[in-house]
Amino acid sequence: MAALGLTAVPAAAQETYQDTKMVQNELNGTARYVGMGGAMEALGADISTVSSNPAGIGLFRRSQINVSGGLVTQSSADTKFSYDNVPVQIDGNKTNASFDQVGFVWAHRSGNRSYLNLAFNYYKSRNFDQLLNAFGQLGGVSQGKLSAMKYQYAKEHADDASGIWNGVDENFLNAYGTDADGHMYWNDGKSYLFGQYQKGYIGSYDFNISGNINDRVYLGLTLGIHDVNYRGNSYYVENYANGSYNEAWEALKIDGDGFDVKAGVIFRPIESSPFRIGAYINTPVFYDLTVKGAADLTPNGDHSKDQGQASNYDFKLNTPWKFGLSLGHTVGNYLALGLTYEYSDYGSIDNRVKDGEYYDSWYGDYYETSSSDANMNHHTKTSLKGVSTLELGVEYKPATNLSLRAGYNYVSPIFEKNAFRDGTVASYGSAIATSTDYTNWKSTNRLTLGLGYQAKQFSVDLAYQYATTSGDFYPFGNEYLAYGYKETATPNATDVKFNRHQLLVTLGYKF
């Protein structure tokens, strides 16, 4: 897949479509926060606001401990499917248990109407569990052709083709001869089938200090540590017009960690009114990551002609800044309303290449230097765009101890309409990628419901979330013209969906 591991260079790099795995946070946290659609950045007094508007912790008046977990299930894909009489079974689960959150707030009165609070919270900011199936017609184009073209192009244009593109059997790629111009070619593609199972998570550990001034102005600061654990396995098969076929497999791992800083404020403009305005800013997450990819290609089921390669590469990635504005209002002690708007420019993601290191013998410190991958960053800027997130939430108390909640989210599309995964970008991220598939995901809609019961010290909250998004899947991108070929560059898009249900429960204790 994707040049099908044509290189023997022991490296790989991040690229635009993989970057989005690191920046797309999900709606998760306590059941109260999820039940209200996350629209609590001005209302505060929920530990999950520590990861968006840290000032929300400043509204706590009592110390509290929370722990959350539940089930996540996908309704938009199957583990068994077939196309053109090709059966496939993916080793993946549609339903998985999930440990989503644990944290505490220590509330300390520092004056007659002021508090200084400390908090720690762990939550799963991204759940990678996903099954993806796609199949469709190729209309003559094929991934095999791209492999042959890439090899031919490297031989003709690379400064040191033997050093970059060694480790491949030329006869394997040239099995079907050359065209009139002497270029290698592959069979005309007829149809394809793709199956993928992704799993893993990003765990976020937030440390917060916050407080309020005369119960009018609330301030907060959070240091976040992020732990990345991604695993993906894919299967791809192409059927050709002459009755032959190719199979390809990919295994991908992304591990690493990062940190960010979040700052926020909430204030009540009218002293006699509970109406609140919140604003916050989150720095980029500064990631240090390792990607490990392995790919294998089997032509026509003949394992004696297997071609496989593996790669391993360390790199840095800076996610975009986030900015948020929120409104909150309460009516008596029975109704709470929240609204949050958040914006982040995904096109500003910074892929960085580690280009040096040195050791300070005087202080005993080790340093790494890095620089922006200008070519890949340009591709990112033209492929991704600014993303707006709108969150609405309501909580109603029909009785003193009982709460009913509902929420809605809209997340605008991440990808430009004509974005594609470009394997010709002069970057390690494309030169030695182990896959070519990509999906241009569209807008996301989330609907949430919640129920809560609060005793004197103990509380239990339940939440249900339904998230849905659709996208255009392509088995490979628009590369033919870059290699001097004039045929149709990309197969038609296949409509795919990602629909997820979440059941979440939170247990709390106040003291």
Side-chain angles (χ1 to χ4, degrees):
M1 301 174 69
L4 306 165
L6 294 184
T7 177
V9 179
Q14 195 77 330
E15 52 82 37
T16 299
Y17 281 83
Q18 289 183 15
D19 288 346
T20 59
K21 294 180 173 65
M22 303 297 113
V23 299
Q24 289 178 274
N25 288 348
E26 296 167 342
L27 175 60
N28 201 16
T30 66
R32 183 182 180 222
Y33 183 79
V34 172
M36 290 191 66
M40 300 190 67
E41 278 69 36
L43 292 170
D46 189 281
I47 196 169
S48 289
T49 61
V50 71
S51 62
S52 52
N53 187 355
I57 305 300
L59 280 89
F60 276 88
R61 297 294 175 265
R62 297 174 62 185
S63 300
Q64 184 171 316
I65 298 173
N66 293 104
V67 60
S68 307
L71 295 174
V72 176
T73 186
Q74 183 180 345
S75 61
S76 55
D78 296 311
T79 58
K80 296 181 180 180
F81 55 97
S82 63
Y83 184 68
D84 270 8
N85 298 317
V86 178
V88 173
Q89 178 169 346
I90 299 177
D91 293 328
N93 298 317
K94 297 181 67 172
T95 301
N96 297 280
S98 180
F99 177 69
D100 295 289
Q101 178 271 332
V102 61
F104 70 87
V105 176
W106 179 68
H108 173 69
R109 185 185 293 273
S110 59
N112 185 39
R113 300 180 62 191
S114 301
Y115 280 77
L116 179 65
N117 300 339
L118 302 176
F120 165 78
N121 188 55
Y122 162 83
Y123 86 109
K124 187 179 291 184
S125 61
R126 183 73 193 269
N127 186 336
F128 289 121
D129 292 350
Q130 182 182 13
L131 290 162
L132 181 63
N133 315 142
F135 30 79
Q137 299 295 320
L138 289 173
V141 298
S142 73
Q143 192 185 75
K145 285 185 179 181
L146 285 179
S147 302
M149 290 177 196
K150 186 172 184 180
Y151 183 73
Q152 181 77 28
Y153 187 85
K155 287 183 63 180
E156 295 175 356
H157 300 283
D159 292 335
D160 182 9
S162 62
I164 296 177
W165 303 97
N166 60 351
V168 123
D169 181 358
E170 181 174 344
N171 293 325
F172 170 80
L173 289 174
N174 201 19
Y176 296 94
T178 59
D179 63 15
D181 297 322
H183 293 94
M184 293 185 298
Y185 68 87
W186 203 263
N187 282 322
D188 289 336
K190 177 185 175 184
S191 61
Y192 75 89
L193 182 149
F194 176 85
Q196 182 185 64
Y197 178 50
Q198 301 179 89
K199 61 181 179 179
Y201 63 93
I202 298 179
S204 296
Y205 304 80
D206 290 320
F207 302 84
N208 172 273
I209 182 170
S210 58
N212 74 78
I213 303 172
N214 294 324
D215 205 25
R216 288 281 304 277
V217 179
Y218 309 85
L219 303 169
L221 187 70
T222 294
L223 170 65
I225 307 296
H226 305 267
D227 176 30
V228 178
N229 301 269
Y230 171 86
R231 304 291 183 267
N233 290 278
S234 303
Y235 171 78
Y236 178 76
V237 60
E238 286 183 339
N239 294 320
Y240 299 116
N242 69 350
S244 62
Y245 64 94
N246 268 357
E247 294 178 291
W249 293 263
E250 183 202 28
L252 185 68
K253 298 180 179 180
I254 304 175
D255 295 287
D257 53 61
F259 71 92
D260 68 345
V261 178
K262 313 171 185 75
V265 59
I266 299 173
F267 63 95
R268 293 192 296 114
I270 304 173
E271 184 174 7
S272 60
S273 171
F275 175 71
R276 305 163 198 167
I277 300 174
Y280 59 92
I281 181 172
N282 298 173
T283 71
V285 181
F286 300 96
Y287 277 121
D288 191 340
L289 300 169
T290 297
V291 60
K292 297 180 180 180
D296 184 73
L297 170 69
T298 301
N300 214 32
D302 187 353
H303 290 280
S304 67
K305 295 182 178 180
D306 278 355
Q307 289 288 314
Q309 292 289 346
S311 57
N312 185 358
Y313 180 70
D314 295 328
F315 64 98
K316 291 182 181 291
L317 175 71
N318 298 342
T319 69
W321 290 79
K322 290 183 180 179
F323 306 90
L325 181 66
S326 53
L327 305 175
H329 187 61
T330 59
V331 179
N333 60 357
Y334 64 89
L335 183 65
L337 303 170
L339 181 151
T340 296
Y341 172 78
E342 183 177 278
Y343 178 81
S344 185
D345 180 11
Y346 281 32
S348 66
I349 293 173
D350 184 16
N351 292 275
R352 304 186 66 82
V353 178
K354 293 184 178 181
D355 53 14
E357 56 187 42
Y358 66 93
Y359 177 75
D360 188 334
S361 59
W362 181 264
Y363 292 101
D365 295 325
Y366 172 79
Y367 298 93
E368 287 184 332
T369 61
S370 65
S371 58
S372 294
D373 184 342
N375 293 327
M376 186 56 70
N377 287 346
H378 175 73
H379 179 261
T380 299
K381 186 176 182 63
T382 58
S383 301
L384 307 182
K385 54 186 178 180
V387 174
S388 296
T389 301
L390 178 66
E391 302 173 345
L392 303 172
V394 58
E395 180 181 61
Y396 172 68
K397 290 186 175 182
T400 303
N401 296 333
L402 182 65
S403 299
L404 304 177
R405 306 178 183 111
Y408 169 74
N409 284 185
Y410 171 79
V411 184
S412 66
I414 299 170
F415 298 97
E416 296 286 354
K417 185 177 181 180
N418 297 319
F420 68 96
R421 189 174 181 180
D422 187 355
T424 68
V425 175
S427 164
Y428 273 120
S430 54
I432 55 177
T434 51
S435 63
T436 58
D437 62 278
Y438 65 98
T439 305
N440 287 340
W441 293 106
K442 302 175 184 178
S443 60
T444 298
N445 289 274
R446 304 181 182 121
L447 296 173
T448 66
L449 297 172
L451 177 67
Y453 177 78
Q454 175 68 60
K456 184 176 182 180
Q457 289 181 291
F458 292 95
S459 63
V460 58
D461 294 283
L462 303 174
Y464 165 77
Q465 177 183 181
Y466 174 68
T468 178
T469 184
S470 62
D472 293 328
F473 173 87
Y474 300 88
F476 45 83
N478 189 344
E479 300 178 27
Y480 284 88
L481 296 178
Y483 290 113
Y485 283 71
K486 298 181 180 180
E487 36 187 314
T488 302
T490 306
N492 292 329
T494 298
D495 182 54
V496 292
K497 298 184 182 298
F498 183 36
N499 299 332
R500 175 184 282 177
H501 305 266
Q502 179 187 23
L503 290 175
L504 184 66
V505 59
T506 298
L507 302 178
Y509 176 72
K510 292 183 179 181
F511 58 96

